[in-house]
Amino acid sequence: MICAFFVLSESELPTKVVYIRKCYSLVSRVSGQIKYLRKVIEISNEDCINHLRMSRGAFSRLCYLLETSGGLQSTRNCTIAEQVAMFLSIPAHHTKKHIVKSNHIRSGHTVSKHFHRVLNSIIRLHSILLSQPRPIDENCTNERWKHFKGCLGALDGTYIDVHVPITEKGRYRNRKGQVSVNVLGVCDKNMRFVYVLTGWEGSATDSRVLQYTINRVNGLKVPIGNYYLCDNGYPNCDGFLTPYKGVRYHLNEWTSRHPQTHQEYFNMKHTRARNVIERSFGLLKMR
């Protein structure tokens, strides 16, 4: 129960101040909570996409997966749909907690609690949401990939801007001068992510991040005989194939010129196939 006190004006009580106690029930919030949730996920598909960055069908499927495979359960006062909606509104638009609290008419503690409950459930879905890479076989006819038998996909790093304490900014400042983390992403030939590692400072080099990834307990594992395509920021070793150094490589360098040597031909094919990770990062950041 929430209580408030109101002071009557001096014109009404010229000699003394009288406090009137008025009580509000938490039950009165329920209609507003239901109304906002319906506005987000039930009225139209366009509204759902604008608020949560996914269609109503995708939202329903995600709720079903979180309930059946992720272990997410509704509480006495909060349904699964509302928990997921509060969670998605934060990463979808980088919304602050107090904004979500105001929109859903919930306390800050409730928003934080359900955010972490949904996050833990999503982590349990890693075997479903993350693709299992399949190597390129001998029968592949795809022009981009048919030259790379046994290849599992491509990997690269990207910078994601972050806010850190002033004393930590030096460690997180990357070579472009931005304060960020260096995120390693690995995807298959169909632009589906198979592995993601975040948390490294922006000043960390790509090769250092990769070395940590392949040595950690739950790190990136590459089967013997298979490999990933990567650029020259990474070492050319078992499991990772880089282009020739000192030879024309980037896509924009092949728009009006044909390869003259076998090294140039290899680099041209390499960059066209490895570009899949660049496009995957591009689509991810567009969201």
Side-chain angles (χ1 to χ4, degrees), residues 259-271:
Q260 303 297 318
T261 64
H262 68 275
Q263 291 94 341
E264 288 188 352
Y265 183 81
F266 175 84
N267 278 12
M268 182 184 69
K269 293 298 182 181
H270 187 286
T271 187

Side-chain angles (χ1 to χ4, degrees), residues 156-224:
D156 200 2
T158 188
Y159 294 124
I160 304 294
D161 293 343
V162 294
H163 295 283
V164 297
I166 296 179
T167 56
E168 299 289 329
K169 284 189 175 181
R171 295 169 51 210
Y172 286 86
R173 196 173 302 279
N174 60 40
R175 55 186 172 81
K176 298 179 180 179
Q178 303 166 333
V179 177
S180 64
V181 290
N182 190 345
V183 178
L184 174 68
V186 185
C187 73
D188 63 8
K189 65 184 182 67
N190 296 315
M191 300 177 62
R192 297 177 300 189
F193 282 101
V194 299
Y195 188 88
V196 176
L197 177 71
T198 184
W200 274 87
E201 303 91 335
S203 59
T205 61
D206 291 340
S207 58
R208 183 183 178 190
V209 176
L210 179 61
Q211 182 180 10
Y212 171 80
T213 303
I214 60 180
N215 290 330
R216 70 195 304 252
V217 176
N218 296 320
L220 178 65
K221 307 301 180 185
V222 184
I224 298 176

